[in-house]
Amino acid sequence: MKGIKKDLKAWLLLCSGLGTILFLMGSTFYIVVTQSLGLYNISGEDSRFTLQYWHDVLTNSVFQSSYIYSVKVSLLGAILSIIVSYPIAMWLRNELPAKVTIITILRAPMLVPGLVAAFLFVNMISYHGILNETMVFLGIWHEPKTLQNDEFGWGVVILQMWKNIPFALILIGGAVNSLKTDLLDAAANLGSTSWQRFRYVIFPLTLTAVQVSFILIFIGALGDFAFYSIAGPRSTYSLARLMQMSAYEFEEWNQSAVMAMMIMLTSAFFTILVSIIIKPLAVKRGDIK
Amino acid sequence: MSSAKITTKNSKIIARISLTFFVLVNFIWLVLPFLMAGLWSLVDPKQPWSYPDILPPSLSLERWQMVWENTSLPEAMFNSYTIAPTVSLITISLSIPTAYAFGRMEFRGKKIAELLTLIPLVIPGMIIALFFSRMLLDLNISNPFVGIVIGHVVLTLPYAIRILSAGFSSVPQDLIEASRDLGASKFTVFKDVYMPMLKPSFLASIIFCLVKSIEEFAISFVIGSPDFITVPTILYSFLGYSFIRPNAAVVSIILLVPNIILMMIIEKLLKGNYLSQSTGKA
């Protein structure tokens, strides 16, 4: 009885903070779901269950290309951020002069808002940017090139990396730091190369951090609006931009809700997929090679 | 006792080379972009900086004055800097009871409840902004200030709850019991035991809420546009619709510098991995 009373008291205390989150996020989510199924229409149309909006969006070629673009750029951004984080995390295990300063510098991009980050990047690569100027100055290029808004979306991938490497570094660095030096020394004594130590010791033991970093970076990138609007390709929209445009510029709120659902479902799909892929990798069976 | 350090023959040289490499890469990756933004904000409007000039022909603070006098920046700053404290105040008040429950109580469903607080962090900002604005319409809330404040509160709640619950859990139980044994009332315990130890967490959460609210774009853009502007939305107008680089440079610096200073204070207050702890991402 005392237990129930205590639980009740705790949940009552949660009402203010968690309650607000659940109420506001829950009702927002409710609007997205019902609107995507035609059960909610604010514009005066009849509200009735229909899968027509899903059909319209999924068969639309603009949506398809924007979906492929967003997933591609988010996957690349997340994977490359993690790949770059590993050597930096390993390097930071060593004793270095001014290590705290180095870590602070490495974290700096996390404090920069997305729009500012995009502006800083555009400054670097624009027609009159430092990259073009340097290449022309060095005689490698005859004249400046248009690097902004590239068709593939490399600009957005680089921006995702710029912003997310520090975040991946916090998670992966934490996992790498918690590895015991004895373990790596033992592997080295048994004659392993650096790559073997990474592959058989470090990587399997830090997979949880990889999983969490991947999921969070991917979800963030999939819903990106700021980076895309400034540095993204001109011929393809990002999902978030297309969603915003459908709602505000074309007044197609139901279709926009379907796109929101697709962003959330894709995030959930990749979260589950990564968990399934990573699980067997973390368990090592058989003789130690 | 620390274990003996195993060093290789060339470790000193390797450390030196790696440090030089770090400095070089970070100069290009970090310092140069900021330097360029600074330079662009100081370009003299009378002598534009164009190709093939490597450096601006002349520098002045005129651009700062022009942006201040001829754009809606003062209004945007006023909006941003009134929304942010309001958001902080509401968020902290809503967070305290929840953070206390997370930090000092054991109850059924605690893990799930902790996970649920992170929902606003995993749903993309633009989804929240768009459909949240629909909900505001349903609730007949047409005032953009109120709408943006509510939106920002939801976004900042997870951070405040995390930081404060870490603060609550770090207060030693012995101290609370000792003061209770000595006859202190619940209020005295809160005032004399909890409060002094919670001060850094309180301050850090307030600053975190301020920073997050000032830099938030999607909600302010969707709910506020076209009439109600904040610093990020005015920056977007200089970047998105018509690219006015010197103006964007000025607004970027205005948005960035206070943020960095405030975040450095948090770093000092919470010493260490506040980012991973506060967002539950560790």
Side-chain angles (χ1 to χ4, degrees), chain B:
Chain B
M1 219 172 85
S2 63
S3 58
K5 191 95 193 91
I6 301 167
T7 50
T8 54
K9 214 169 55 183
N10 297 323
S11 57
K12 267 196 175 164
I13 302 170
I14 293 171
R16 206 168 295 162
I17 294 171
S18 62
L19 265 180
T20 317
F21 183 70
F22 171 83
V23 172
L24 208 76
V25 169
N26 272 284
F27 181 76
I28 300 168
W29 192 245
L30 270 177
V31 182
L32 213 52
F34 288 112
L35 268 181
M36 290 288 288
L39 265 184
W40 271 106
S41 78
L42 294 173
V43 172
D44 195 334
K46 288 181 212 85
Q47 282 177 293
W49 181 17
S50 54
Y51 178 79
D53 293 336
I54 303 263
L55 288 170
S58 85
L59 299 178
S60 79
L61 283 170
E62 216 169 304
R63 181 69 62 175
W64 283 76
Q65 198 185 340
M66 271 173 65
V67 172
W68 185 257
E69 283 169 1
N70 303 329
T71 71
S72 316
L73 183 65
E75 188 192 335
M77 282 176 79
F78 176 79
N79 289 342
S80 279
Y81 294 120
T82 44
I83 287 173
T86 318
V87 168
S88 296
L89 206 72
I90 298 172
T91 305
I92 301 293
S93 320
L94 290 173
S95 301
I96 293 171
T98 302
Y100 177 83
F102 281 144
R104 300 226 56 99
M105 293 173 87
E106 285 307 320
F107 56 92
R108 263 171 285 187
K110 188 176 172 180
K111 282 266 172 282
I112 297 171
E114 279 177 336
L115 269 178
L116 288 174
T117 47
L118 303 177
I119 291 175
L121 303 182
V122 289
I123 300 181
M126 196 42 90
I127 296 184
I128 297 181
L130 281 178
F131 297 96
F132 183 72
S133 72
R134 292 291 269 188
M135 200 185 67
L136 290 176
L137 273 180
D138 275 356
L139 296 173
N140 270 331
I141 298 173
S142 55
N143 184 328
F145 181 88
V146 178
I148 294 172
V149 166
I150 301 175
H152 286 190
V153 166
V154 186
L155 286 190
T156 50
L157 268 172
Y159 299 103
I161 291 173
R162 281 273 161 178
I163 298 174
L164 283 176
S165 63
F168 272 113
S169 66
S170 69
V171 180
Q173 188 61 30
D174 307 357
L175 271 180
I176 299 163
E177 279 164 14
S179 59
R180 295 289 289 164
D181 279 348
L182 290 167
S185 66
K186 277 191 174 170
F187 177 74
T188 317
V189 172
F190 183 76
K191 187 171 73 82
D192 294 338
V193 182
Y194 277 110
M195 273 318 277
M197 301 198 80
L198 281 174
K199 251 186 203 162
S201 320
F202 263 111
L203 209 57
S205 333
I206 291 170
I207 297 174
F208 219 107
C209 294
L210 287 174
V211 169
K212 285 280 146 198
S213 169
I214 291 169
E215 72 177 33
E216 200 285 328
F217 167 69
I219 291 180
S220 311
F221 177 63
V222 171
I223 297 174
S225 65
D227 305 320
F228 194 87
I229 44 165
T230 62
V231 181
T233 56
I234 200 171
L235 174 60
Y236 184 71
S237 71
F238 290 144
L239 287 173
Y241 308 132
S242 48
F243 188 42
I244 313 170
R245 195 182 299 194
N247 291 9
V250 171
V251 181
S252 293
I253 293 167
I254 287 174
L255 190 59
L256 197 60
V257 174
N259 259 21
I260 290 186
I261 295 169
L262 289 172
M263 289 299 246
M264 277 172 156
I265 299 172
I266 302 184
E267 182 97 32
K268 268 235 150 38
L269 286 172
L270 295 184
K271 293 185 193 84
N273 275 343
Y274 66 88
L275 281 167
S276 50
Q277 283 164 8
S278 61
T279 54
K281 287 168 182 170

Side-chain angles (χ1 to χ4, degrees), chain A residues 195-206:
Chain A
W195 170 244
Q196 283 173 323
R197 277 199 293 282
F198 175 76
R199 198 179 148 194
Y200 296 117
V201 184
I202 299 164
F203 187 62
L205 291 175
T206 50

